[in-house]
C-alpha cells in the first residue's frame, strides 16, 4: 500500500472536485491548505492530514483516513475521508442558495424599474 499520494489526485479521487484539473487549479490558486500552509498540486498527502479547501462561500475541512489514487463511488468516500466541516458552514451555504432573489411568481411579468432597484439594494445589503 502507498504511503503518500498527490493532493490533487486525492481530492479528485474522493470527489471533492469533479475533475483533477479543478483540483490542480484550486491548489495553484492557494485555496487548498494542509495544516494552514498553502500547498502545490504535487504535495504528497498522508494519512491523518487535515485539509482545508475554500470553495466559493464554503470553507470545507476534511481529514485523510486512507489513501487512494483512483476515483471511487460516492458511497465509498466515507472510507477514505472524514468531513470535519462545521455544520454552520453548510447552513450558511443553504441560506445563500435559498435566498430566492431571482424568484418571481409566474404571471407577474418582468420587474418594474423601481422593483429592480429594490432587488439590487437588497442583494447588496445581504451580500449576495
Amino acid at each position: 500500500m502507498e504511503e503518500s499520494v498527490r493532493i490533487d489526485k486525492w481530492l479528485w479521487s474522493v470527489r471533492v472536485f469533479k475533475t483533477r484539473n479543478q483540483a490542480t487549479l484550486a491548489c495553484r490558486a492557494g485555496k487548498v491548505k494542509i495544516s494552514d500552509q498553502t500547498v502545490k498540486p504535487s504535495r504528497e498527502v498522508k494519512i491523518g492530514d487535515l485539509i482545508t479547501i475554500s470553495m466559493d462561500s464554503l470553507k470545507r475541512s476534511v481529514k485523510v483516513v486512507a489513501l487512494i489514487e483512483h476515483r471511487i463511488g460516492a458511497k465509498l468516500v466515507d472510507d477514505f475521508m472524514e468531513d470535519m466541516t462545521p455544520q454552520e458552514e453548510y447552513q450558511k451555504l443553504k441560506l445563500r442558495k435559498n435566498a430566492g432573489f431571482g424568484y418571481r411568481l409566474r404571471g407577474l411579468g418582468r420587474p418594474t424599474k423601481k422593483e429592480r432597484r429594490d432587488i439590487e439594494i437588497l442583494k447588496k445589503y445581504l451580500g449576495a
Side-chain angles (χ1 to χ4, degrees):
M1 189 161 180
E2 303 154 23
E3 293 181 18
S4 62
V5 178
R6 287 177 56 113
I7 188 151
D8 61 341
K9 203 169 198 180
W10 189 84
L11 289 171
W12 166 75
S13 297
V14 294
R15 298 176 170 266
V16 174
F17 291 99
K18 286 186 178 182
T19 65
R20 186 166 170 197
N21 189 37
Q22 287 176 344
T24 303
L25 293 175
C27 291
R28 286 187 186 149
K31 295 182 179 187
V32 178
K33 297 180 180 185
I34 295 178
S35 303
D36 294 327
Q37 290 185 333
T38 306
V39 296
K40 293 181 179 180
S42 61
R43 166 75 187 268
E44 299 289 323
V45 67
K46 296 179 177 113
I47 295 174
D49 284 346
L50 185 65
I51 303 170
T52 306
I53 306 123
S54 299
M55 308 168 86
D56 297 329
S57 61
L58 178 68
K59 192 169 185 178
R60 196 166 174 199
S61 300
V62 295
K63 184 176 181 182
V64 179
V65 175
L67 300 176
I68 186 168
E69 280 194 4
H70 305 287
R71 193 151 170 106
I72 56 171
K75 292 181 181 179
L76 301 175
V77 168
D78 293 335
D79 298 337
F80 296 93
M81 78 170 200
E82 182 180 344
D83 194 359
M84 308 289 281
T85 308
Q87 195 62 30
E88 296 85 40
E89 288 289 324
Y90 290 119
Q91 289 173 350
K92 280 195 299 187
L93 182 66
K94 188 176 180 181
L95 283 174
R96 277 196 167 211
K97 284 186 178 181
N98 291 337
F101 290 116
Y103 182 73
R104 201 160 163 81
L105 292 174
R106 189 177 173 108
L108 289 179
R110 293 174 52 184
T112 64
K113 193 171 193 176
K114 182 183 181 330
E115 290 173 339
R116 184 176 43 80
R117 287 182 179 156
D118 289 342
I119 291 169
E120 289 175 7
I121 289 170
L122 185 61
K123 282 183 179 181
K124 284 181 186 177
Y125 176 74
L126 295 176

